[in-house]
Amino acid sequence: MQSAGAPAVQFRVVLHDPHAHLYRITMRVENPQAQQTLRLPTWIPGSYLVREFAKHLQNLRAGQNDQPVALTQLDKATWRADCQANAALEVQYEVYAADQSVRSSWLDASRGFFNGTSLFLHALGHAHLAHGLTIEAPSYALDWQVATALPAEHIDGAGFGSYLAPDYDTLVDCPVELGNVWRGHFTVGSTPHRFAVSGAAPSFDGQRLLADAEKICTTCMAFWHGTEPPPIEHYLFLLNAVDDGYGGLEHRNSTALIAGRRDLPRRSDGAGGAWKPGDGYTTLLGLISHEYFHTWNVKRLRPAEFERYDYAQENYTQLLWFFEGFTSYYDDLLLVRAGVLEHAAYLKRLTKTINQVLQTPGRLIQSLAQASFDAWIKYYRQDENTPNATVSYYTKGALVALCLDLTLRREGHSTLDAVMRALWTRCKAGPMREADLLTALEDLGGRSYAAEIAAWVHSTEELPLAELLAAHGVRLQADTPQWAQRLGMRIATGEELRIKSVLRGGLAERAGMAAGDEWLGIETTAGAWRLQRLDDLALYAPQGTREVVALVARDRRLLRLPLQIPQDGTAPADTVLLQLSDTALAAHWLSGD
């Protein structure tokens, strides 16, 4: 392995106190600047929210030549060390790590995990220099191992020891998993891929997961490069299995995933029968596909605004609809092409995506470009009004990709697959602008697509889904909405019938219902009835009932609200169903022909 050079900045991580969730970090800057500035990132790339990692940093102190050095705090996450420029600066601190997500850090007696953005101070002026990391083995867990994509320097058989990154960006872009992990591996072409799984149940079938992941990665690799060598020398999947959870975060040569333990494949069903994959496992495979696709689309081909990350503040771009939305289009589609998802199952998942967009009134308020720019304050800070004011750049962005792909295919000139590969070449696997997409579309599509991008991305016009799907053998038809959608509300999960959101223009809003209300029951001409779930409305307010009185509790007050009951033909036209009308025609699109 080629050395990245001697580290100008060295970090040592000690798993100090698992019961208190504390890491202890020692940072050594070999040639500091006079009055060296140190800063902890406020966010992590791939998750567009200022997360204030500095709130978990404590006991910060510094020294030089065996003498203490004064630290002056300049803002919430920045300090200035009163040091000289002619001797190494050593900084010590602790980080509280109790976040089970893929975005921050965790430490207890059974597992450790961290992203560098939540642990490692940035020595300003040194980011471009080599950074070293030493991870000390804990004395209380002799069976623990280390899993990370960082280049190893001197490590033991369990992975504890020293690692070397060429710069700060690489250091913080390689998450670290610690614990008694399950390991597996496969190779795509000549590229080794590893899995490290924590928290799986004893019935976990790791070989099934590896086999399906290999098919996905092989298909994705071929999508981008055919038989040409890929830009990655190795890849690592870090998967944390929990009782209830879901999510992923992409990195340049790895990804951190979290999934429900019950969604992982099993060797048997516990009674000797064969395990059958459910929707949860398909969703996990889609997550693997999504984060792996990001290896190309956002970690290398990326918004021009992300050419160099500024970890101290928001990094704005209007292109998340492309980098997240187009990735969301391809994640499930590549499952079909990999042979792990049937056509009918794919259309079921696409139906769900379409309905999510149609059932979001905010799609008529906010454009995709605006949604991308405002991710920092809207998508990642959702509240009860989010569905009324915003649109997801994931779901609608995926539908824009679908519309472009189907348009290109219908006109017979090209496909979105070819456009993605052309962008990879045009942008040299680096910074990209919307103008690059427009150029690639025009070059391959034989005409300008500026009008489509203006309508679908920069305005709130509806997408021509029915027309384009019909041209590819799929019929989009109206379906019967559930009670929540018919009334214009979203219900929170739990034993109580509690309203999570009231959708703009719906019957619930007209009745005066509000987010947070507990819906207790209804009064009809036949008496008063207690509701346990919304489906009870069909029982107590049968067909033909035009109005009831909704009994709700708000701030300990009982309210009686007149609520209209939707009649046949008056329900909102925002629930659809996709059906195959021409199997052979649809197969050309779904198989990538």
Side-chain angles (χ1 to χ4, degrees), residues 14-332:
V14 176
L15 286 59
H16 175 55
D17 189 338
H19 299 306
H21 310 288
L22 288 177
Y23 288 103
R24 178 173 288 167
I25 295 96
T26 300
M27 174 188 190
R28 182 181 174 90
V29 184
E30 292 297 338
N31 294 292
Q33 301 170 353
Q35 304 293 301
Q36 176 67 56
T37 301
L38 307 169
R39 176 180 292 146
L40 193 68
T42 65
W43 68 289
I44 182 169
S47 184
Y48 307 104
L49 176 68
V50 173
R51 296 191 178 275
E52 312 292 19
F53 295 123
K55 68 182 179 181
H56 295 308
L57 188 149
Q58 62 188 46
N59 287 334
L60 179 65
R61 56 195 183 277
Q64 190 176 44
N65 295 323
D66 296 324
Q67 297 296 317
V69 168
L71 291 166
T72 302
Q73 188 163 4
L74 304 180
D75 61 31
K76 62 185 178 182
T78 308
W79 294 262
R80 184 180 63 239
D82 187 18
C83 64
Q84 305 299 315
N86 57 356
L89 172 68
E90 189 166 283
V91 182
Q92 294 183 339
Y93 55 96
E94 295 166 348
V95 171
Y96 176 72
D99 185 343
Q100 275 268 42
S101 78
V102 297
R103 299 176 294 264
S104 187
S105 56
W106 172 267
L107 180 64
D108 68 3
S110 61
R111 173 181 177 260
F113 172 83
F114 62 81
N115 285 291
T117 46
S118 61
L119 248 65
F120 301 137
L121 287 165
H122 167 206
L124 270 63
H126 293 71
H128 62 291
L129 301 175
H131 282 59
L133 170 63
T134 298
I135 306 173
E136 289 194 3
S139 59
Y140 52 81
L142 300 180
D143 59 347
W144 277 27
Q145 303 172 64
V146 178
T148 181
L150 274 171
E153 282 282 287
H154 304 288
I155 60 174
D156 62 19
F160 290 98
S162 61
Y163 296 82
L164 187 61
D167 49 44
Y168 181 81
D169 284 348
T170 302
L171 175 71
V172 299
D173 197 31
C174 294
V176 175
E177 180 77 24
L178 302 149
N180 186 4
V181 299
W182 178 93
R183 292 176 178 268
H185 62 87
F186 57 85
T187 301
V188 178
S190 60
T191 305
H193 290 62
R194 296 178 291 144
F195 257 89
V197 182
S198 295
S203 60
F204 170 54
D205 186 352
Q207 297 308 312
R208 171 63 184 269
L209 181 63
L210 289 177
D212 288 337
E214 181 178 356
K215 295 175 184 176
I216 295 166
C217 294
T218 300
T219 303
C220 186
M221 194 88 79
F223 172 93
W224 286 103
H225 301 291
T227 59
E228 296 297 317
I232 52 176
E233 297 180 357
H234 56 84
Y235 194 87
L236 172 65
F237 292 94
L238 302 175
L239 172 58
N240 181 29
V242 296
D243 181 61
D244 183 23
Y246 174 81
L249 189 63
E250 69 275 5
H251 299 276
R252 191 170 176 87
N253 294 305
S254 63
T255 182
L257 310 170
I258 187 168
R261 201 169 283 120
R262 295 173 183 82
D263 294 333
L264 270 60
R266 304 172 210 166
R267 288 188 296 273
S268 71
D269 62 7
W275 175 79
K276 296 181 180 179
D279 289 342
Y281 183 57
T282 301
T283 299
L284 171 58
L285 293 181
L287 178 65
I288 289 171
S289 178
H290 184 99
E291 303 303 340
Y292 191 68
F293 197 85
H294 271 320
T295 305
W296 291 265
N297 196 41
V298 90
K299 293 310 295 184
R300 288 171 173 82
L301 185 67
R302 60 192 183 276
E305 297 88 346
F306 292 177
E307 183 172 7
R308 294 290 300 179
Y309 293 122
D310 182 348
Y311 298 103
Q313 60 186 349
E314 297 88 344
N315 291 211
Y316 295 103
T317 178
Q318 290 191 351
L319 285 174
L320 293 182
W321 58 270
F322 177 88
F323 289 98
E324 291 293 354
F326 281 39
T327 299
S328 296
Y329 171 61
Y330 277 109
D331 55 20
D332 283 344

Side-chain angles (χ1 to χ4, degrees), residues 364-381:
L364 304 175
I365 301 295
Q366 186 185 51
S367 73
L368 273 178
Q370 292 170 330
S372 300
F373 197 85
D374 284 342
W376 301 88
I377 58 171
K378 292 191 176 182
Y379 184 83
Y380 281 90
R381 294 185 183 276

